[in-house]
Every structure is written in structure tokens, then in C-alpha cells.
């Protein structure tokens, strides 16, 4: 998966991406394959069992893994197995879990086993492309802890909670300190916020 940045615009080139699709349902695999082909993906590996998925991960490197939550009775176990394995680079690959039923407990299980996203079935090509695009421009850290291995589960950094020392090396102090420049006047703020005509 190649990403290029033009200004603030991130573009994905999926022609060279290697994608693993793991689903027990043949029709589901066919649909996934067709959607990915529509995105320009030329290298798709299919797996219909958890064992086939593990063998594929052992023998080839993947840029993206799509796995059904019900694979082998519990697709989350396959995700957890990969994240805690030593299979590089696959253990760091983005993993999207596809699920027909997504109660909160299912989403939490998928998140806690190390998946990057959960997408509900029936699958929408637009939603899948949005998630792939988000993964392509995401800079989430990979976390390895005693109870969790996978992408950082926090999507936004709102700073350290009040009265708590940060756990990350780069966490800033909760104390903001004194301003170094004078505050803007309301007129200056209004000027910034007022729509301006642009001459082309």
C-alpha cells in the first residue's frame, strides 16, 4: 500500500498492495475480492479456515488483512495469535475485522485483540475504502504491553487527565503556564473568523 501526499491530500495506490481475506463463506470472499479489485488491488490471497489464514501469514507478507469475526468459530483468536507472534511484518499489518453482528461486547473484543477497525456486514465498498484510506494516513503507534499488543486504541490525544502523571515519554505537563504573547482583541478574532472574498 503506497501513500503519497499532495498538500493535505493523501492518495492511496493499492495496485501493489498484498491483501489477505479470511472468511469461511465463499460468497463473502468473492464479494470482498470484487470490491478490492475495484479499488485497484491486484494481489489478493483467500483463506477459508483459520488454519489457512495462519499458513498464509507464515508464508507471505501482507499490507492489509481482512478477517471475518466468525472465522474458525472465533476470528479474534487468529488476530490475537498474529499480534502476539513474531511474524514480521505481518504482526504490524492493519487488520480489519468484518462482523455480521456488532454489539458493544463484540467491538470491544475486536479492539482488545489488536484489530485496527471493525466493519459490519453486509459490507459497503464506500465504508471499506474510507477505513483503508484512514489506515493509510493514520500514524497510530504500535503498542506492546503485558495485556495488549496492537495499534494504539486511543484515536485522539486529549492530554493527560487532571491530577495524573502521564504514562508516555512524550506526555506534556498538565500545567499550561503563563501566556507568552498578549491575547488577541475581539476585533482581531472577528477579522480572522469573517469570510473574505477571494480574487481569482
Amino acid at each position: 500500500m503506497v501513500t503519497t501526499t499532495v498538500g493535505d491530500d493523501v492518495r492511496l495506490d493499492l495496485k501493489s498492495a498484498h491483501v489477505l481475506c479470511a472468511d469461511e463463506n465463499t460468497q463473502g470472499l468473492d464479494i470482498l475480492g470484487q470490491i478490492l479489485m475495484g479499488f485497484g488491488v491486484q494481489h489478493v490471497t483467500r483463506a477459508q479456515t483459520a488454519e489457512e489464514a495462519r499458513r498464509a501469514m507464515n508464508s507471505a507478507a501482507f499490507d492489509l488483512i481482512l478477517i471475518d469475526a466468525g472465522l474458525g468459530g472465533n476470528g479474534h483468536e487468529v488476530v490475537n495469535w498474529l499480534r502476539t507472534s513474531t511474524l514480521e511484518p505481518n504482526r504490524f499489518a492493519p487488520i480489519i475485522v468484518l462482523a455480521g453482528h456488532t454489539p458493544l461486547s463484540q467491538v470491544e473484543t475486536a479492539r482488545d485483540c489488536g484489530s485496527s477497525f471493525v466493519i459490519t456486514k453486509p459490507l459497503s465498498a464506500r465504508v471499506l475504502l474510507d477505513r483503508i484510506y484512514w489506515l493509510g494516513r493514520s500514524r497510530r503507534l504500535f503498542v506492546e504491553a503485558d495485556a495488549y499488543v496492537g495499534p494504539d486504541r486511543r484515536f485522539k490525544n486529549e492530554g493527560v487527565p487532571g491530577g495524573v502523571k502521564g504514562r508516555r515519554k512524550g506526555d506534556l505537563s498538565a500545567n499550561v503556564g503563563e501566556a507568552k504573547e498578549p491575547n488577541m482583541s475581539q476585533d482581531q478574532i472577528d477579522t480572522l473568523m469573517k469570510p473574505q472574498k477571494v480574487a481569482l
Side-chain angles (χ1 to χ4, degrees):
M1 194 161 31
V2 177
T3 60
T4 53
T5 306
V6 180
D8 290 335
D9 188 25
V10 176
R11 297 180 185 168
L12 288 178
D13 180 4
L14 299 174
K15 281 188 289 195
S16 61
H18 288 75
V19 181
L20 172 63
C21 298
D23 192 335
E24 292 177 346
N25 185 310
T26 305
Q27 186 179 15
L29 282 175
D30 291 342
I31 291 169
L32 262 180
Q34 290 169 359
I35 291 172
L36 291 169
M37 281 176 50
F39 297 163
V41 177
Q42 296 177 358
H43 311 284
V44 177
T45 301
R46 296 165 55 125
Q48 285 194 265
T49 66
E51 191 51 44
E52 282 180 19
R54 285 187 176 101
R55 274 200 307 270
M57 292 173 204
N58 270 301
S59 61
F62 294 101
D63 299 297
L64 175 65
I65 297 170
L66 305 172
I67 187 165
D68 184 73
L71 184 74
N74 188 348
H76 303 122
E77 288 179 0
V78 178
V79 175
N80 188 60
W81 167 82
L82 178 60
R83 290 297 193 215
T84 56
S85 75
T86 57
L87 294 176
E88 293 188 16
N90 287 338
R91 69 186 300 248
F92 303 112
I95 301 174
I96 296 176
V97 171
L98 309 171
H101 303 286
T102 52
L104 181 59
S105 60
Q106 175 95 327
V107 174
E108 287 175 345
T109 301
R111 176 201 66 194
D112 293 344
C113 73
S115 67
S116 306
F117 271 117
V118 177
I119 298 179
T120 58
K121 290 181 172 183
L123 189 63
S124 156
R126 175 59 193 239
V127 170
L128 180 58
L129 184 60
D130 284 347
R131 297 306 178 267
I132 293 172
Y133 178 77
W134 193 94
L135 288 167
R137 51 190 294 255
S138 168
R139 297 292 175 252
R140 286 164 76 188
L141 297 174
F142 195 84
V143 176
E144 293 187 66
D146 292 339
Y148 175 75
V149 179
D152 192 341
R153 293 178 286 193
R154 295 171 288 191
F155 278 79
K156 53 188 175 182
N157 186 359
E158 297 177 338
V160 182
V164 176
K165 187 174 189 267
R167 296 180 296 170
R168 293 178 174 163
K169 187 170 32 173
D171 280 341
L172 300 174
S173 168
N175 284 337
V176 177
E178 295 296 319
K180 294 191 177 190
E181 297 176 8
N183 291 333
M184 294 176 73
S185 70
Q186 188 60 52
D187 287 340
Q188 290 171 313
I189 295 170
D190 291 343
T191 302
L192 281 174
M193 303 302 287
K194 187 166 46 169
Q196 303 287 324
K197 285 188 179 178
V198 177
L200 298 175

